[in-house]
Amino acid sequence: MVPRQFTFLPRVERRETRSNGRSARYSHWIRYNTFYGLVITTTLSTLLLAAVQYEWRVTGRFFQFANRFPASIALGVQLLAALFGLIHVAVVCRLLNYAFRLRLAKRSVSLDMLRTWVDMTIPRIDWDLPLRFFIPLLFTVFLSLVPAALWAGSITPLIARTTTGGMLLLPSYDDVSLIREYPMNIGQAGPSVRNQKGFFTYSVGQQHIGQLLSSAAAASSIGMRPLMHSKIDNTQFSYKGRSYGVGAPVGLTDLVMSSNKQAAGYNYQEEGYLCNVTCVYNTTSNFHLTPTEDAWIYGAEGMLPDSLDGPEYSSYIGFDGKAIVAMGVAYSERSPRRYIAITAGEAYRTLNNTQCELVFTPTLFNVTVDLSNFNITVQPVEMVTDFNPQRNLTRTVVRQFELLSNDLTNLYVSQLGDAFNSSIAAYNMSCSFAAAARPAPTEQEATLAGLTNSITAMADDMLVAYASAQLMVGRKFTAQPARVFVFALQFGQRGYIYAIFGLNLLIMLAVLLEAVRTYGWSSLGRFNYLDPRDLIIAASRGGRAVADAADAMVERVAVEGKKSGRGGVWLLGDPDVGNGGLVVRLSGDEEGHVAMMVGGTEGEGGESEERDRKERGGADGEVTPGADKQFG
């Protein structure tokens, strides 16, 4: 009984399928099973492409597992990438195998060529091949590593962000009855609340002196980076650049979003006042210091550009008046403009006769919150209708400067004046970084710039303080939607996904084109040169002819090599002179079984099969009806 797997080529006369197994059917599944693996890779690569296009993200328990066990995820990725890469390599190798088997049925090949085919189809490195075969083989083996690498880059989970909705509470200014100037007397301060999130009060100029003084001193950033300054509470958030008086809800009324461990941040829009400060020297200022009848008491009095009900007046303490920095602010509620006039003693002479105008423009702001780094970034968007038409918020904010300057002046020093000088010094230092690009500022220019920065920073912080008081003390708020950025996983990088999708498509096209070209591999026989059983039995059917030809060739090539002094080019292996150059071809008997025969020259066609049968005493067989369907 002859084993089924050694049935010869379909184009040779075949017998019907018999109980003795001489002519086995080559089933559809055996021929095409490897190609069905492309269903898996095509489905997965398509899903990955859709995930890139529609920005699909993974959150929840899988995200938490990936963060807790990254090594396990990496192991799983490598195994899956190897599996999917194996499918691609198996399909390509099957295409090569079928193509080589069809060629072997029609042409004679050398044993070195046959070895190369075997190595390419597995694929593996054979160090004993001649260089002319080894280089293509090395390139093929290298390409076999590419699919798994591309799959690894396509399915590796990466930290990304996705968006979802959220809600937070913004301060409402429909009721501003608590936003007003409270007396400086002990026990008459405005309403306040102290909790674990901080201290919140409507007496901003009295109760937040430390924070405001720090903001004034650090208002001028040194270097090219934006200024980072803390929010006036215990939420640990800091503003990156100006606060513009908004962002108070961050850390206070955003519990739903900030408590989400997967939330990376969020952004929302908030209305506030964009405060633009312009400071100048007014040499004709009517606001000045005058001694009084009381020792160590000096009066700061005079008219301001926005004074409507008479001159402004306030008392300051000082040993001799040299250390006083007095700020005058119009008290009238009818004043449409906001001015600050400064008069100072000799110790702070550069601040004397300076005057600043504050313009508050109702503006819509984008507020972006980074929950990972506790940063807040604010950007103006557009002007809006005034949300506080009474303008008592801006008036109260500016009035706090007069209170601060009075509280921060003692017999020997003005702490507010020192804070302004720190800002001026920082501005000079920042200009030194750009000394090559512009000339150094004059003393007056530096003074006005540093003072402008300080007044702006203090005004922004006061607006935030009043907004926080509206939320935490007055409980006056309104709901506002926010867009929340949540940490999630995305599978692979865009470039790798495109590459693996293109590779999968290319392999599918190659399969289709090859199937069309070969009519579904209809001429493919069951003989497979990768199966050692096929090779051994086929060689045994050929008799001693192959072995005798090999022995004769070894002797001939060895003699010719000694005479000419030439030989083949080899890499690492010893030149197996003779065997590799032996040319063989396939033939078959009348039963259609394979025999490995000695061929003529390499590439010779298979038209000599008829002659082979006659030499071996075989006879032509009759064509069996239905034989063309036996291989499915």
Side-chain angles (χ1 to χ4, degrees):
M1 177 176 177
V2 181
R4 296 185 178 190
Q5 62 267 32
F6 304 122
T7 302
F8 191 53
L9 308 173
R11 63 184 178 84
V12 180
E13 297 85 356
R14 298 168 294 186
R15 301 288 184 260
E16 293 181 349
T17 302
R18 303 174 183 174
S19 59
N20 63 3
R22 284 184 178 274
S23 301
R25 184 182 299 275
Y26 202 16
S27 68
H28 174 90
W29 174 251
I30 294 176
R31 183 179 299 180
Y32 300 111
N33 55 7
T34 304
F35 301 135
Y36 285 118
L38 290 176
V39 175
I40 300 175
T41 59
T42 301
T43 302
L44 184 57
S45 62
T46 303
L47 289 175
L48 290 173
L49 185 64
V52 169
Q53 297 298 323
Y54 296 103
E55 296 185 353
W56 293 345
R57 299 293 183 264
V58 177
T59 58
R61 294 184 177 180
F62 185 78
F63 174 83
Q64 296 173 4
F65 180 83
N67 278 342
R68 290 188 60 187
F69 306 102
S72 299
I73 293 296
L75 176 62
V77 167
Q78 291 298 322
L79 293 177
L80 290 176
L83 173 62
F84 299 141
L86 179 62
I87 294 176
H88 276 158
V89 172
V91 170
V92 173
C93 289
R94 180 58 64 93
L95 285 177
L96 293 176
N97 177 261
Y98 284 0
F100 292 156
R101 284 162 64 179
L102 290 176
R103 179 176 177 80
L104 184 61
K106 299 177 181 180
R107 297 287 186 270
S108 300
V109 296
S110 67
L111 294 186
D112 280 338
M113 177 64 76
L114 188 59
R115 289 170 60 197
T116 305
W117 288 358
V118 172
D119 295 332
M120 283 185 174
T121 312
I122 291 180
R124 68 182 181 188
I125 293 293
D126 188 345
W127 302 99
D128 294 333
L129 283 175
L131 280 180
R132 65 189 181 96
F133 296 121
F134 177 79
I135 294 177
L137 173 62
L138 182 64
F139 181 72
T140 303
V141 173
F142 173 77
L143 290 182
S144 68
L145 304 177
V146 173
L150 291 180
W151 276 113
S154 300
I155 64 176
T156 298
L158 303 175
I159 298 296
R161 291 185 180 184
T162 187
T163 58
T164 185
M167 192 70 67
L168 77 164
L169 300 178
L170 300 186
S172 172
Y173 295 96
D174 293 337
D175 181 1
V176 291
S177 59
L178 295 177
I179 301 178
R180 58 188 175 86
E181 183 179 350
Y182 291 89
M184 294 289 293
N185 299 334
I186 296 177
Q188 298 187 23
S192 61
V193 169
R194 187 183 298 274
N195 55 36
Q196 62 180 0
K197 293 185 178 181
F199 179 66
F200 309 96
T201 179
Y202 281 99
S203 295
V204 173
Q206 301 176 46
Q207 306 293 342
H208 286 305
I209 291 179
Q211 295 95 325
L212 294 174
L213 201 62
S214 176
S215 295
S220 298
S221 61
I222 300 176
M224 304 301 294
R225 294 183 178 180
L227 176 66
M228 299 289 297
H229 59 103
S230 300
K231 192 167 176 277
I232 301 183
D233 50 37
N234 293 339
T235 58
Q236 308 302 316
F237 280 92
S238 296
Y239 287 99
K240 189 175 183 180
R242 286 187 61 180
S243 69
Y244 295 102
V246 296
V250 179
L252 301 180
T253 61
D254 61 347
L255 182 61
V256 174
M257 294 174 289
S258 60
S259 61
N260 186 352
K261 295 182 179 180
Q262 294 186 27
Y266 62 92
N267 65 11
Y268 68 97
Q269 291 189 327
E270 181 179 356
E271 293 183 356
Y273 284 115
L274 174 57
C275 180
N276 289 319
V277 179
T278 304
C279 294
V280 297
Y281 276 103
N282 185 2
T283 56
T284 61
S285 174
N286 190 36
F287 188 71
H288 55 272
L289 288 172
T290 58
T292 65
E293 296 179 356
D294 298 325
W296 299 346
I297 301 296
Y298 291 80
E301 59 182 344
M303 294 291 294
L304 275 64
D306 56 343
S307 296
L308 298 179
D309 300 331
E312 312 299 330
Y313 181 86
S314 57
S315 300
Y316 287 80
I317 187 173
F319 183 76
D320 53 9
K322 294 181 179 180
I324 294 176
V325 175
M327 306 183 76
V329 178
Y331 186 79
S332 174
E333 296 181 358
R334 297 183 294 111
S335 175
R337 305 169 71 185
R338 301 287 181 255
Y339 280 93
I340 298 175
I342 300 177
T343 180
E346 183 62 28
Y348 302 95
R349 60 177 180 80
T350 57
L351 298 174
N352 190 40
N353 290 332
T354 54
Q355 183 176 288
C356 299
E357 180 182 12
L358 289 76
V359 178
F360 294 91
T361 305
T363 305
L364 181 66
F365 296 92
N366 275 336
V367 182
T368 303
V369 182
D370 185 349
L371 294 174
S372 301
N373 298 313
F374 292 89
N375 289 338
I376 308 172
T377 305
V378 182
Q379 293 292 336
V381 178
E382 60 184 2
M383 293 180 58
V384 295
T385 305
D386 199 339
F387 53 88
N388 178 220
Q390 305 91 340
R391 304 288 283 182
N392 68 314
L393 175 59
T394 58
R395 175 185 174 276
T396 304
V397 165
V398 179
R399 282 293 299 172
Q400 302 307 300
F401 285 96
E402 192 275 337
L403 302 179
L404 284 167
S405 64
N406 207 308
D407 286 351
L408 294 173
T409 299
N410 57 41
L411 289 175
Y412 304 104
V413 70
S414 169
Q415 294 180 337
L416 185 58
D418 287 344
F420 289 157
N421 284 339
S422 296
S423 178
I424 295 168
Y427 178 80
N428 278 319
M429 293 179 64
S430 65
C431 290
S432 65
F433 285 92
R438 60 182 181 181
T442 63
E443 183 181 53
Q444 291 188 353
E445 291 174 343
T447 298
L448 293 177
L451 180 62
T452 299
N453 293 337
S454 294
I455 298 295
T456 302
M458 294 173 72
D460 286 348
D461 283 350
M462 290 179 191
L463 289 171
V464 174
Y466 279 111
S468 300
Q470 285 286 92
L471 291 172
M472 305 303 292
V473 183
R475 310 301 294 176
K476 305 179 189 305
F477 41 71
T478 180
Q480 174 73 10
R483 183 174 61 169
V484 184
F485 301 98
V486 180
F487 282 119
L489 293 179
Q490 73 174 36
F491 287 99
Q493 295 183 1
R494 184 180 299 268
Y496 288 108
I497 293 175
Y498 289 157
I500 201 63
F501 182 83
L503 177 63
N504 187 81
L505 182 61
L506 185 64
I507 293 175
M508 289 183 60
L509 290 176
V511 172
L512 292 176
L513 292 176
E514 189 68 6
V516 171
R517 186 184 70 86
T518 60
Y519 300 98
W521 296 280
S522 59
S523 298
L524 185 67
R526 295 181 60 86
F527 174 81
N528 189 354
Y529 57 83
L530 292 179
D531 193 333
R533 298 171 300 177
D534 287 12
L535 286 175
I536 292 173
I537 295 177
S540 67
R541 286 201 182 100
R544 292 186 50 85
V546 175
D548 293 340
D551 293 339
M553 180 169 289
V554 168
E555 295 178 1
R556 186 179 73 254
V557 173
V559 173
E560 292 178 355
K562 290 181 179 180
K563 292 181 178 180
S564 61
R566 294 179 298 175
V569 181
W570 301 78
L571 184 64
L572 297 177
D574 295 329
D576 190 5
V577 179
N579 288 348
L582 180 63
V583 178
V584 297
R585 57 184 173 83
L586 295 181
S587 184
D589 58 17
E590 61 182 9
E591 293 293 335
H593 293 124
V594 167
M596 188 71 72
M597 309 294 294
V598 178
T601 59
E602 186 172 0
E604 178 187 348
E607 61 276 355
S608 58
E609 293 176 1
E610 182 71 19
R611 183 180 68 249
D612 295 336
R613 292 194 194 94
K614 293 180 179 179
E615 292 176 355
R616 299 174 58 194
D620 293 339
E622 297 179 357
V623 177
T624 303
D628 57 337
K629 299 180 181 179
Q630 292 187 24
F631 287 73

